[in-house]
PDB file of all heavy atoms in Angstrom:
ATOM      1  N   CYS L 193      -0.917 -20.013 -16.875  1.00 91.00           N
ATOM      2  CA  CYS L 193       0.492 -19.602 -16.860  1.00 91.00           C
ATOM      3  C   CYS L 193       1.384 -20.763 -16.470  1.00 91.00           C
ATOM      4  O   CYS L 193       2.455 -20.975 -17.043  1.00 91.00           O
ATOM      5  CB  CYS L 193       0.696 -18.450 -15.880  1.00 91.00           C
ATOM      6  SG  CYS L 193      -0.022 -16.922 -16.459  1.00 91.00           S
ATOM      7  N   ARG L 194       0.919 -21.509 -15.508  1.00 88.00           N
ATOM      8  CA  ARG L 194       1.709 -22.637 -15.029  1.00 88.00           C
ATOM      9  C   ARG L 194       1.910 -23.650 -16.156  1.00 88.00           C
ATOM     10  O   ARG L 194       2.997 -24.186 -16.348  1.00 88.00           O
ATOM     11  CB  ARG L 194       0.975 -23.301 -13.867  1.00 88.00           C
ATOM     12  CG  ARG L 194       1.862 -24.013 -12.885  1.00 88.00           C
ATOM     13  CD  ARG L 194       1.025 -24.421 -11.677  1.00 88.00           C
ATOM     14  NE  ARG L 194       1.836 -25.062 -10.656  1.00 88.00           N
ATOM     15  CZ  ARG L 194       2.349 -26.276 -10.743  1.00 88.00           C
ATOM     16  NH1 ARG L 194       2.169 -26.977 -11.841  1.00 88.00           N
ATOM     17  NH2 ARG L 194       3.064 -26.776  -9.752  1.00 88.00           N
ATOM     18  N   PHE L 195       0.840 -23.868 -16.882  1.00 88.00           N
ATOM     19  CA  PHE L 195       0.927 -24.783 -18.021  1.00 88.00           C
ATOM     20  C   PHE L 195       1.922 -24.258 -19.048  1.00 88.00           C
ATOM     21  O   PHE L 195       2.754 -24.998 -19.571  1.00 88.00           O
ATOM     22  CB  PHE L 195      -0.464 -24.952 -18.632  1.00 88.00           C
ATOM     23  CG  PHE L 195      -0.472 -25.765 -19.881  1.00 88.00           C
ATOM     24  CD1 PHE L 195      -0.227 -27.129 -19.830  1.00 88.00           C
ATOM     25  CD2 PHE L 195      -0.689 -25.176 -21.118  1.00 88.00           C
ATOM     26  CE1 PHE L 195      -0.214 -27.884 -20.985  1.00 88.00           C
ATOM     27  CE2 PHE L 195      -0.681 -25.923 -22.273  1.00 88.00           C
ATOM     28  CZ  PHE L 195      -0.430 -27.284 -22.209  1.00 88.00           C
ATOM     29  N   LEU L 196       1.818 -22.954 -19.298  1.00 88.00           N
ATOM     30  CA  LEU L 196       2.684 -22.336 -20.304  1.00 88.00           C
ATOM     31  C   LEU L 196       4.162 -22.480 -19.952  1.00 88.00           C
ATOM     32  O   LEU L 196       4.997 -22.819 -20.796  1.00 88.00           O
ATOM     33  CB  LEU L 196       2.314 -20.865 -20.444  1.00 88.00           C
ATOM     34  CG  LEU L 196       2.894 -20.123 -21.639  1.00 88.00           C
ATOM     35  CD1 LEU L 196       2.278 -20.643 -22.920  1.00 88.00           C
ATOM     36  CD2 LEU L 196       2.640 -18.634 -21.522  1.00 88.00           C
ATOM     37  N   VAL L 197       4.472 -22.225 -18.689  1.00 85.00           N
ATOM     38  CA  VAL L 197       5.890 -22.243 -18.351  1.00 85.00           C
ATOM     39  C   VAL L 197       6.442 -23.646 -18.162  1.00 85.00           C
ATOM     40  O   VAL L 197       7.642 -23.823 -18.044  1.00 85.00           O
ATOM     41  CB  VAL L 197       6.206 -21.393 -17.097  1.00 85.00           C
ATOM     42  CG1 VAL L 197       5.794 -19.966 -17.336  1.00 85.00           C
ATOM     43  CG2 VAL L 197       5.561 -21.940 -15.862  1.00 85.00           C
ATOM     44  N   ARG L 198       5.566 -24.622 -18.115  1.00 83.00           N
ATOM     45  CA  ARG L 198       6.065 -25.991 -18.027  1.00 83.00           C
ATOM     46  C   ARG L 198       6.170 -26.631 -19.409  1.00 83.00           C
ATOM     47  O   ARG L 198       6.580 -27.762 -19.549  1.00 83.00           O
ATOM     48  CB  ARG L 198       5.131 -26.854 -17.172  1.00 83.00           C
ATOM     49  CG  ARG L 198       5.065 -26.449 -15.729  1.00 83.00           C
ATOM     50  CD  ARG L 198       6.258 -26.953 -14.953  1.00 83.00           C
ATOM     51  NE  ARG L 198       6.087 -26.759 -13.518  1.00 83.00           N
ATOM     52  CZ  ARG L 198       6.495 -25.680 -12.875  1.00 83.00           C
ATOM     53  NH1 ARG L 198       7.045 -24.693 -13.523  1.00 83.00           N
ATOM     54  NH2 ARG L 198       6.318 -25.591 -11.574  1.00 83.00           N
ATOM     55  N   SER L 199       5.777 -25.871 -20.420  1.00 84.00           N
ATOM     56  CA  SER L 199       5.775 -26.445 -21.771  1.00 84.00           C
ATOM     57  C   SER L 199       7.122 -26.175 -22.448  1.00 84.00           C
ATOM     58  O   SER L 199       8.039 -25.634 -21.841  1.00 84.00           O
ATOM     59  CB  SER L 199       4.668 -25.792 -22.580  1.00 84.00           C
ATOM     60  OG  SER L 199       4.997 -24.429 -22.782  1.00 84.00           O
ATOM     61  N   GLN L 200       7.209 -26.549 -23.695  1.00 83.00           N
ATOM     62  CA  GLN L 200       8.422 -26.300 -24.460  1.00 83.00           C
ATOM     63  C   GLN L 200       8.729 -24.819 -24.530  1.00 83.00           C
ATOM     64  O   GLN L 200       9.884 -24.399 -24.474  1.00 83.00           O
ATOM     65  CB  GLN L 200       8.260 -26.845 -25.889  1.00 83.00           C
ATOM     66  CG  GLN L 200       8.396 -28.344 -25.987  1.00 83.00           C
ATOM     67  CD  GLN L 200       9.785 -28.791 -25.541  1.00 83.00           C
ATOM     68  OE1 GLN L 200       9.974 -29.256 -24.427  1.00 83.00           O
ATOM     69  NE2 GLN L 200      10.745 -28.613 -26.400  1.00 83.00           N
ATOM     70  N   PHE L 201       7.648 -24.040 -24.648  1.00 85.00           N
ATOM     71  CA  PHE L 201       7.817 -22.584 -24.683  1.00 85.00           C
ATOM     72  C   PHE L 201       8.489 -22.113 -23.399  1.00 85.00           C
ATOM     73  O   PHE L 201       9.393 -21.298 -23.402  1.00 85.00           O
ATOM     74  CB  PHE L 201       6.439 -21.940 -24.838  1.00 85.00           C
ATOM     75  CG  PHE L 201       6.474 -20.449 -24.919  1.00 85.00           C
ATOM     76  CD1 PHE L 201       6.899 -19.809 -26.078  1.00 85.00           C
ATOM     77  CD2 PHE L 201       6.078 -19.667 -23.842  1.00 85.00           C
ATOM     78  CE1 PHE L 201       6.933 -18.425 -26.151  1.00 85.00           C
ATOM     79  CE2 PHE L 201       6.109 -18.283 -23.921  1.00 85.00           C
ATOM     80  CZ  PHE L 201       6.532 -17.656 -25.075  1.00 85.00           C
ATOM     81  N   GLY L 202       8.034 -22.727 -22.308  1.00 84.00           N
ATOM     82  CA  GLY L 202       8.608 -22.366 -21.023  1.00 84.00           C
ATOM     83  C   GLY L 202      10.067 -22.766 -20.927  1.00 84.00           C
ATOM     84  O   GLY L 202      10.868 -22.091 -20.284  1.00 84.00           O
ATOM     85  N   LEU L 203      10.408 -23.847 -21.557  1.00 83.00           N
ATOM     86  CA  LEU L 203      11.800 -24.282 -21.549  1.00 83.00           C
ATOM     87  C   LEU L 203      12.676 -23.251 -22.237  1.00 83.00           C
ATOM     88  O   LEU L 203      13.757 -22.891 -21.746  1.00 83.00           O
ATOM     89  CB  LEU L 203      11.906 -25.633 -22.259  1.00 83.00           C
ATOM     90  CG  LEU L 203      13.238 -26.372 -22.172  1.00 83.00           C
ATOM     91  CD1 LEU L 203      13.595 -26.645 -20.724  1.00 83.00           C
ATOM     92  CD2 LEU L 203      13.154 -27.671 -22.953  1.00 83.00           C
ATOM     93  N   ALA L 204      12.167 -22.764 -23.367  1.00 85.00           N
ATOM     94  CA  ALA L 204      12.914 -21.705 -24.069  1.00 85.00           C
ATOM     95  C   ALA L 204      13.037 -20.467 -23.191  1.00 85.00           C
ATOM     96  O   ALA L 204      14.088 -19.813 -23.137  1.00 85.00           O
ATOM     97  CB  ALA L 204      12.218 -21.363 -25.383  1.00 85.00           C
ATOM     98  N   LEU L 205      11.974 -20.173 -22.479  1.00 84.00           N
ATOM     99  CA  LEU L 205      12.014 -19.000 -21.587  1.00 84.00           C
ATOM    100  C   LEU L 205      13.033 -19.193 -20.473  1.00 84.00           C
ATOM    101  O   LEU L 205      13.747 -18.270 -20.100  1.00 84.00           O
ATOM    102  CB  LEU L 205      10.641 -18.771 -20.954  1.00 84.00           C
ATOM    103  CG  LEU L 205       9.568 -18.142 -21.814  1.00 84.00           C
ATOM    104  CD1 LEU L 205       8.322 -17.913 -20.984  1.00 84.00           C
ATOM    105  CD2 LEU L 205      10.033 -16.831 -22.418  1.00 84.00           C
ATOM    106  N   ALA L 206      13.075 -20.418 -19.953  1.00 81.00           N
ATOM    107  CA  ALA L 206      14.037 -20.681 -18.891  1.00 81.00           C
ATOM    108  C   ALA L 206      15.449 -20.463 -19.412  1.00 81.00           C
ATOM    109  O   ALA L 206      16.299 -19.863 -18.730  1.00 81.00           O
ATOM    110  CB  ALA L 206      13.855 -22.104 -18.366  1.00 81.00           C
TER     111      ALA L 206
END
Side-chain angles (χ1 to χ4, degrees):
Chain L
C193 289
R194 207 171 183 288
F195 175 70
L196 193 68
V197 301
R198 295 281 190 269
S199 67
Q200 283 298 101
F201 181 75
L203 189 59
L205 283 184

